[in-house]
Amino acid sequence: MRLDNMLIAEGVAGPEKGGGSAAAAAAAAASGGGPGQPDNAIEHSDYRAKLAQIRQIYHTELEKYEQQACNEFTTHVMNLLREQSRTRPIAPKEIERMVNIIHRKFNAIQVQLKQSTCEAVMILRSRFLDARRKRRNFSKQATEILNEYFYSHLSNPYPSEEAKEELARKCAITVAQVSNWFGNKRIRYKKNIGKAQEEANLYAAKNAAAAVSVATSQHDGNQSQPPSAPSTPTGNGSNPGSGGYMSSQSQMVSQEGSFMNLQNGDSYNMANQVGANVQSQVASLRQVISQTGGYGGDSLPPHTQPHSMYDPSMTQYASQHVSGRASGGEVVGAS
DNA sequence: TCCAATGATTTTCC
DNA sequence: GGAAAATCATTGGA
C-alpha cells in the first residue's frame, strides 16, 4: 500500500501527470531553483524523460505479469492438473491450493516490481537533487573572465550585484556561482598567496598586452590620450585599477553550452534496474510448476519468460545495486 | 590509482 | 544577511 502511494505521488502509478512534471517541479523546488533557470529547465526535461521511461516500463511489466501472465499461467496449471486427474485423483482443495500459490507468486512479482520502480525513482531523484554530483568545472573562458576581474579588483574583490550579474552572463553561469567562485577565490588566494601572485602577474601581463594592442590599433588622434591603464596588481592590492577588466571585455566571447548539462556517461539503466528483482520471482515460479509434476522448467508460458531487458548480461547497473535484495529485501527509503 | 584543483555546501562569525 | 572558513564531493591530469 505504501509502495502504491509512493508510486502515485511520484507520478509513476495512477493517472498521467504529464510525464511526472509534478514530481519534477517538486524536485526543482527542493533543489532551490535559483537563478539558473535555463539550466534547471534542461535538467527538468531530462528528469521528466527518465521518469516517463520508468513509468512506461512499470506499466508494461505490471500489465504483462498481472493481466496476461497470471491468467495464462493459472489456466496452464489447471490444464495440467486436469490431465493428471486421469491417472490419479486430484482433490478440489489441491487445485485451489495450486491456484493460491500461483497468485501469491504473482503478487510477489508485483511487489518486487513496485519496489524496484520505487528504488529507480529514488536514485533518479537523488541524482537530480544532489547538486554536488553535478559539479562541473567552469570552462576555461569563464575561469579567465572571473580571474581577470578578481585580479583587476584585488584591493576589493567584492563585485557588486550588477558586476556579478554581468560576470554571470558572460560566463554563462549563475550569480550564485559567481558568488561561490569569489568566496572560494578570496579564501584560496589568502591561503596560497605565493602561487596566487604568479597568477596575478600572469593576468597583469595579459591586461598590459591587451592595452598595448588597443593602443597600437588606435589612430594618431588618440595618441595624446593614453589607453586606459591596465591593472597592475602587485599582490598587495596597492594598484588594482579597473581598466584591465574593462579593456578585456571586448575580447570576451560568451561560451557555448552549459556545465550543468548532464554527462553523456549518465547512462545508468533504469529499465534494467526496475526489472532486476522480478527475475528471481520468475525463477521461483518455475518451482511452482515443477510441483505439478508435469511441467518442464524451461517451458514457461511466453509472458513469464524473462524479458530481454532483464537479461543478466544487460543488467550491469542493476546487478551492482540491487543484488542480494532479490529475495524480498526492504528498499531503503522506498516506503 | 592517486592527488591536486575546484565547485558546492555547511558552519561560524561579524 | 553576507563573508570567511571548513569541509565535502567531483573532476581531471600525471
Side-chain angles (χ1 to χ4, degrees), chain A residues 166-241:
Chain A
E166 177 75 358
L167 286 166
R169 194 181 57 75
K170 287 183 186 304
C171 298
I173 59 179
T174 68
V175 173
Q177 285 176 307
V178 172
S179 298
N180 281 341
W181 189 92
F182 273 87
N184 284 327
K185 189 70 183 178
R186 284 190 296 265
I187 295 283
R188 286 161 186 168
Y189 177 84
K190 270 202 275 183
K191 276 185 177 173
N192 198 352
I193 209 154
K195 194 180 169 225
Q197 179 70 63
E198 288 175 28
E199 204 174 23
N201 291 337
L202 202 74
Y203 279 94
K206 235 178 154 182
N207 288 337
V212 167
S213 81
V214 168
T216 52
S217 68
Q218 282 176 335
H219 290 294
D220 295 345
N222 290 336
Q223 282 180 349
S224 58
Q225 196 177 15
S228 61
S231 66
T232 53
T234 58
N236 56 12
S238 60
N239 185 19

Side-chain angles (χ1 to χ4, degrees), chain A residues 317-332:
Chain A
Y317 177 86
S319 65
Q320 282 171 357
H321 289 76
V322 298
S323 62
R325 269 204 335 95
S327 56
E330 195 73 28
V331 177
V332 176

Side-chain angles (χ1 to χ4, degrees), chain A residues 127-144:
Chain A
R127 281 184 88 91
F128 182 76
L129 293 175
D130 191 351
R132 281 180 175 174
R133 282 181 175 276
K134 294 183 299 191
R135 189 182 82 74
R136 298 283 178 276
N137 287 348
F138 296 158
S139 70
K140 223 175 174 184
Q141 208 164 25
T143 309
E144 281 205 4

Side-chain angles (χ1 to χ4, degrees), chain A residues 10-13 16-21 23-24 44-60 117 121 124 270-271 274:
Chain A
E10 293 294 339
V12 174
E16 175 70 59
K17 289 184 185 176
S21 56
H44 295 173
S45 66
D46 195 66
Y47 179 85
R48 276 197 294 273
K50 284 199 158 51
L51 201 64
Q53 193 188 348
I54 292 171
R55 183 187 163 90
Q56 194 193 344
I57 292 164
Y58 171 74
H59 283 292
T60 307
T117 306
V121 172
L124 181 66
M270 293 296 176
V274 169

